[in-house]
Amino acid sequence: MSENLQTPLSSLRTAVSADGTAIGYRTMGSGPDLIVLGGTLKTAEDYLPLAAPLARSFTVHVVDRRGRGASGPQGPGYSLEKEVEDLIAVQADTGARLAFGHSYGGLVVLETARSHSLFDRIAVYEPGVACAPVPTAWLAPFRERLAAGDPYGAFIHFVQGSGGAPAFMTKLPHWYLRMVFRAAFRGPAWQRMRPLLESCAREHEQIAAQYGRLAEFADVTAPVLLLVGGRTPQRHREEFVMLRDTLPTAVLETLDGLNHMGPSERKPAPAVAERILPFLL
């Protein structure tokens, strides 16, 4: 069955960012306008299972961040500031006063809210705010494998080195993970992910560059629902407590059984939507 059959009909629209980059987004549903901004290695397509239940109560705008899907390239001057400009453009186009961000998209939403009073309420799921130093040693071998035409090898370096994998996975040999990943990552989801590998590296560099700025997020004035997965490693959940304590008006909740990818995976996404709904309404 096609991934799109269980989702409401959507229309593709385009906003133009400050540097002229086209930012595509899908619009569906009816009600108050809500922007959904996704994470690294994901496109708007991956968030349709999240958007579908939200579209019963909101007009949902699912954004393809620059460098993916219906949007223009990241460009040579790529930065977090460019992503903020993109979100501002989509907000101006839609008039949305509500926003949801996942992972790197959550960082973009919070950074935008920190410097611009655009949103009345915000929900984020494990946003990529650097509360601790971010590992970057994996980036060089990652790019070496990409240059050699080995996307699976690059992806292994990302999974093992970026800090989000379970401890046991960091110790598994590359030959074994290559075999597992070839079986596990294929089909439409891998076809969407593979072209985003270089974007993934640039986005993680931006996350790493934000370390030391945690206190600045005290400037976010909108109420924030901060969601974390119960299967997320404890060290990361402790970092989200730090973020909760920094944000002036934030509630931290744990969704049992979910990991970092909860909002972008078909089965757990509706549970994330269910928790977002009463907060944003």
Side-chain angles (χ1 to χ4, degrees), residues 214-275:
L214 177 61
E216 296 180 27
F217 289 92
D219 294 336
V220 176
T221 58
V224 177
L225 175 63
L226 176 57
L227 297 174
V228 301
R231 291 174 55 197
T232 294
Q234 179 64 30
R235 67 185 184 279
H236 293 310
R237 283 187 277 141
E238 291 171 357
E239 292 170 11
F240 295 122
V241 171
M242 295 169 60
L243 177 59
R244 187 273 317 274
D245 292 344
T246 300
L247 295 165
T249 310
V251 176
L252 175 64
E253 294 191 10
T254 300
L255 296 180
D256 293 335
L258 272 61
N259 60 21
H260 180 69
M261 304 313 298
S264 59
E265 293 182 341
R266 176 167 295 278
K267 290 184 178 180
V272 179
E274 181 180 352
R275 183 59 200 93

Side-chain angles (χ1 to χ4, degrees), residues 13-58:
R13 304 180 182 181
T14 303
V16 180
S17 193
D19 66 355
T21 300
I23 305 299
Y25 61 95
R26 298 187 184 200
T27 296
M28 63 186 73
S30 61
D33 292 274
L34 166 64
I35 294 172
V36 171
L37 207 63
T40 296
L41 292 177
K42 300 295 179 182
T43 71
E45 185 85 10
D46 295 291
Y47 292 92
L48 296 183
L50 174 76
L54 291 173
R56 301 187 193 114
S57 301
F58 301 100

Side-chain angles (χ1 to χ4, degrees), residues 29-102:
S30 61
D33 292 274
L34 166 64
I35 294 172
V36 171
L37 207 63
T40 296
L41 292 177
K42 300 295 179 182
T43 71
E45 185 85 10
D46 295 291
Y47 292 92
L48 296 183
L50 174 76
L54 291 173
R56 301 187 193 114
S57 301
F58 301 100
T59 301
V60 184
H61 310 286
V62 190
V63 180
D64 267 321
R65 290 192 297 100
R66 63 169 59 208
R68 71 206 66 223
S71 293
Q74 285 187 329
Y78 176 74
S79 66
L80 177 60
E81 289 72 23
K82 293 289 187 182
E83 296 270 7
V84 170
E85 292 174 355
D86 299 346
L87 179 53
I88 290 172
V90 174
Q91 193 279 333
D93 215 43
T94 61
R97 301 293 299 181
L98 304 170
F100 169 78
H102 172 216

